[in-house]
Amino acid sequence: MRIVVVGGVAGGMSAAARARRLDESAEIVVLERGEHPSFANCGLPYFVGGEITDPDRLLVQTPASLRAALDLDVRTGHEVTAVDTTRRVLTVRSAAGLSELSYDALVLAPGARAVRPPVPGLESPRVRTLRTVPDARALRDRVEDGASRGVVLGGGFIGVEAAEALVLAGLDVTLVELAPHVLPPLEDEVAHPVTDELRRLGVDVRAGVGATEVLNGPLRDDVVLSDGSRVPADLVVLSVGVRPDTAPFEAAGIVCERGAIVVDEHGRTSAPGVWAVGDAVVSTDAVTGVRRPVPLAGPANRAGRLVADDILRPETARPLPAPLGTAIVRVGSLTAATTGADRRALATAGIDHRTLHLHPNQHAGYFPGAEQIHLLVHVRAGDGRLLGAQAVGTDGVDKRIDVLATAIRAGMAVADLIDLDLAYAPPYGQAKDAVNLAGMVGANVLDGTLRLWYADQLDEVLATALVLDTRSEAEYAAGHLPGSLNIPHTELRDRLDEVRAAAAGRPVRALCGSGVRSALAHRVLTQAGLDSASLSGGMLTLRAALGDRAASAIVTPEPAGRA
């Protein structure tokens, strides 16, 4: 049996390796267009920035090592240009010219190409993508040759990592993102701390604008932005997205949607004997049911293994799981991560949901080094099923998002999080872990014990309700909402008449620093007969959600010495 795999790296090499482990007698051929069949593409930005110093560390396997370990026939520099699915024959271009190769089973793992928008000047030699080892080497060479100014076009995960890498390498860096904020998959209140951290690192973040032209000069380029400004650049990293690299397969009649290959639950395409995995494949979102490619290494690796099972052990092969899109990124001292659906996806899918904001410590508050995790969890209204989660912080973010990703995969409801038996010792967590606390808050919201109001309701609340600030007088003086009444939560029971008088029949909307004290106040107010709600996540979430608007929306004291 001859199994041909088109494309290496994550999905393709995973399929080839698994196939060899299952069948020692199969002939397994891997056709890779580039020079490296198995490399750590997620490590490329860290090589550009100098944290990984040896480019060979990026090479997971070589053709020689794959031949020695797995008896795989890996042919680099071989590009598939056509497929005859009736004859089961591939047309392949290599340095030797065109040739044909037959197959019994074909696995397509062509990956995706970087999007090159119709912006004049992108043909400049100073403009590079960051998808391959040669890309990373070229960018690193420019850094070592004395580049001092870099522009990154695109503020997604790779773009943010590239910006961090370049600024750590000593360049002046401008990061341009067309969306309202960097890392568009993140909610506003999670993305804003990342923007602040990028600025702290020295990155000039330009959000809400795009590049309209790259003016090529003899010594440097100038990137012209849609707001009319120009940014000088010794190098430009183009990272505005990817699209499935499927042209020859779509031309062969293999069914695609918007360029991505359609597969069934076992990775089978519309053509007999042909499977597909990875960035070029349509996946069904596990939460919303939306069909789209998910260009992540983890799902591609797992899919490759399962496809090999279906080829060689179809009677016991498990179906490919719908991906959650779990992703994580380091930005300076922060880590940001996401899993499941975000607010926009849930709204588009028409899924009624509630959002929880928490700011617990990553470990016991009395143990040195305690830091807050800013955690956001989406749950389905009614049954409380977990739909998505995001977090940002200096420590402990990966652990909580991984636990929540597991809970979403298991179909758990938010109240089930209360019962999770998670590891606890003061250096590692709290007796009530952040995940357990999310369960408690969610259960309270769903059963009516806690009623929330949100940052995006601020204008309406200021116009129609009394804002009750339950923080201390010192916290209130440092910054508060205009027209709000300050009564610390410990004094509230004795000052309820003051609240009633100030409310004058209006609803009362409580807030505090993180949402804990105002939740306590809400219980007092509700049981006193007042229309009450607590700000989800408190002032920490409100400031992050407002972003740069916070300076004008929150009353702060005049600097000392000013009249």
Side-chain angles (χ1 to χ4, degrees):
M1 180 182 191
R2 177 183 287 169
I3 301 171
V4 177
V5 180
V6 179
V9 196
M13 291 313 307
S14 178
R18 174 66 170 175
R20 171 57 72 224
R21 292 193 296 271
L22 296 181
D23 189 345
E24 186 64 22
S25 66
E27 179 187 1
I28 303 174
V29 180
V30 179
L31 304 176
E32 168 57 45
R33 177 175 53 205
E35 59 181 295
H36 302 296
S38 181
F39 66 93
N41 50 2
C42 295
L44 298 179
Y46 305 105
F47 172 71
V48 173
E51 290 181 84
I52 297 173
T53 57
D54 182 0
D56 289 341
R57 296 292 299 274
L58 298 171
L59 305 180
V60 180
Q61 297 282 356
T62 66
S65 68
L66 289 166
R67 171 67 82 179
L70 294 167
D71 192 25
L72 299 180
D73 180 2
V74 179
R75 305 176 188 181
T76 58
H78 283 61
E79 179 178 11
V80 173
T81 60
V83 184
D84 186 332
T85 59
T86 301
R87 296 171 53 224
R88 297 198 178 196
V89 171
L90 301 170
T91 301
V92 184
R93 178 189 293 120
S94 68
L98 291 178
S99 61
E100 288 190 341
L101 179 67
S102 64
Y103 63 86
D104 297 300
L106 175 63
V107 180
L108 303 178
R113 287 184 182 270
V115 171
R116 296 186 72 87
V119 174
L122 288 183
E123 69 281 357
S124 166
R126 299 185 184 93
V127 177
R128 299 289 306 204
T129 56
L130 187 50
R131 296 281 298 169
T132 66
V133 173
D135 285 339
R137 282 176 166 159
L139 287 168
R140 183 64 196 168
D141 287 344
R142 289 196 176 277
V143 170
E144 293 178 343
D145 286 344
S148 62
R149 300 185 182 193
V151 174
V152 179
L153 300 180
F157 285 89
I158 298 299
V160 166
E161 288 174 337
E164 179 198 38
L166 292 175
V167 80
L168 291 178
L171 277 70
D172 293 331
V173 179
T174 299
L175 177 60
V176 179
E177 170 53 51
L178 188 59
H181 59 69
V182 300
L183 298 178
L186 298 186
E187 311 289 9
D188 294 353
E189 58 267 43
V190 180
H192 186 71
V194 175
T195 299
D196 283 345
E197 180 67 5
L198 285 167
R199 288 171 174 163
R200 186 192 69 80
L201 291 172
V203 178
D204 178 13
V205 178
R206 310 278 188 97
V209 297
T212 60
E213 187 176 6
V214 178
L215 300 175
N216 306 152
L219 300 179
R220 71 178 192 191
D221 291 344
D222 283 319
V223 180
V224 182
L225 304 183
S226 55
D227 61 4
S229 62
R230 292 189 180 189
V231 184
D234 299 312
L235 63 85
V236 177
V237 180
L238 181 62
S239 182
V240 296
V242 297
R243 63 167 54 97
D245 193 9
T246 58
F249 315 115
E250 192 168 13
I254 294 174
V255 174
C256 296
E257 286 182 9
R258 296 185 298 277
I261 301 170
V262 175
V263 297
D264 69 5
E265 68 274 16
H266 289 286
R268 304 168 188 145
T269 73
S270 60
V274 182
W275 289 254
V277 298
D279 297 1
V281 167
V282 174
S283 297
T284 301
D285 187 273
V287 174
T288 65
V290 170
R291 293 166 60 82
R292 75 206 192 286
V294 178
L296 293 171
N301 269 291
R302 294 188 289 275
R305 174 189 175 90
L306 293 172
V307 158
D309 286 355
D310 192 60
I311 294 171
L312 295 166
R313 294 180 178 176
E315 66 283 352
T316 58
R318 294 185 300 111
L320 277 62
L324 290 172
T326 306
I328 192 166
V329 63
R330 186 200 72 185
V331 185
S333 64
L334 290 183
T335 299
T338 180
T339 188
D342 61 13
R343 189 180 288 127
R344 181 173 55 183
L346 292 170
T348 300
I351 298 175
D352 189 14
H353 64 282
R354 302 290 178 268
T355 302
L356 318 172
H357 298 90
L358 300 90
H359 306 278
N361 288 334
Q362 96 283 23
H363 65 227
Y366 59 81
F367 191 84
E371 297 282 352
Q372 284 182 312
I373 298 171
H374 306 290
L375 177 63
L376 175 153
V377 181
H378 297 304
V379 303
R380 190 161 64 191
D383 64 3
R385 180 164 179 162
L386 292 162
L387 302 173
Q390 300 185 2
V392 62
T394 58
D395 186 31
V397 166
D398 53 343
K399 171 182 174 179
R400 275 67 186 200
I401 288 297
D402 282 345
V403 171
L404 289 166
T406 304
I408 296 171
R409 171 65 63 205
M412 294 171 65
V414 68
D416 295 326
L417 300 179
I418 301 171
D419 304 325
L420 292 183
D421 194 356
L422 303 175
Y424 162 62
Y428 300 105
Q430 302 186 73
K432 293 179 181 177
D433 188 82
V435 173
N436 301 129
L437 289 172
M440 296 173 189
V441 173
N444 284 340
V445 169
L446 291 174
D447 69 14
T449 302
L450 176 60
R451 182 183 176 197
L452 297 174
W453 69 279
Y454 294 95
D456 63 2
Q457 299 172 313
L458 178 60
D459 292 340
E460 176 188 351
V461 165
L462 291 176
T464 62
L466 169 68
V467 175
L468 177 64
D469 193 322
T470 65
R471 297 176 298 162
S472 68
E473 293 182 4
E475 289 174 285
Y476 182 82
H480 56 268
L481 292 178
S484 57
L485 173 65
N486 178 218
I487 299 179
H489 77 290
T490 54
E491 302 175 16
L492 181 59
R493 292 179 179 86
D494 297 327
R495 297 174 66 178
L496 283 171
D497 288 343
E498 188 177 338
V499 176
R500 287 192 180 93
R506 294 176 295 162
V508 180
R509 297 294 177 255
L511 64 81
C512 65
S514 64
V516 176
R517 288 170 288 178
S518 59
L520 297 173
H522 165 71
R523 295 304 303 152
V524 174
L525 294 167
T526 297
Q527 293 175 79
L530 292 163
D531 178 349
S532 169
S534 171
L535 175 61
S536 185
M539 288 291 280
L540 281 171
T541 293
L542 180 64
R543 287 181 179 275
L546 291 173
D548 294 338
R549 280 187 56 210
S552 59
I554 297 173
V555 178
T556 55
E558 291 287 333
R562 288 185 58 181

